Amino acid sequence: MDLYTRLLLGVTAFAVLGYISFVYGSCAGDPDCHVRTCGRQLCGVVYNHPQDRPAP
């Protein structure tokens, strides 16, 4: 594997990990945000607006 291929693989891995950490990391700090699961897999992030929550 040459240097150019390693560079492209490294940049791709950095971009994917950066995206995942940005989306799921920013959701972790928000109380209205939670991760949606589909069976045993993570499907995405769901944001519940305060007006959509039932009153206590």
Side-chain angles (χ1 to χ4, degrees):
M1 193 178 331
D2 63 344
L3 182 62
Y4 185 70
T5 305
R6 287 184 185 190
L7 177 68
L8 288 177
L9 285 173
V11 168
T12 303
F14 181 74
V16 169
L17 291 175
Y19 173 76
I20 290 172
S21 66
F22 175 74
V23 169
Y24 293 108
S26 63
C27 184
D30 191 355
D32 297 327
C33 184
H34 64 276
V35 178
R36 183 179 64 161
T37 58
C38 296
R40 300 178 81 185
Q41 298 179 0
L42 296 177
C43 292
V45 175
V46 179
Y47 186 81
N48 291 333
H49 294 285
Q51 68 264 19
D52 294 339
R53 283 186 265 153

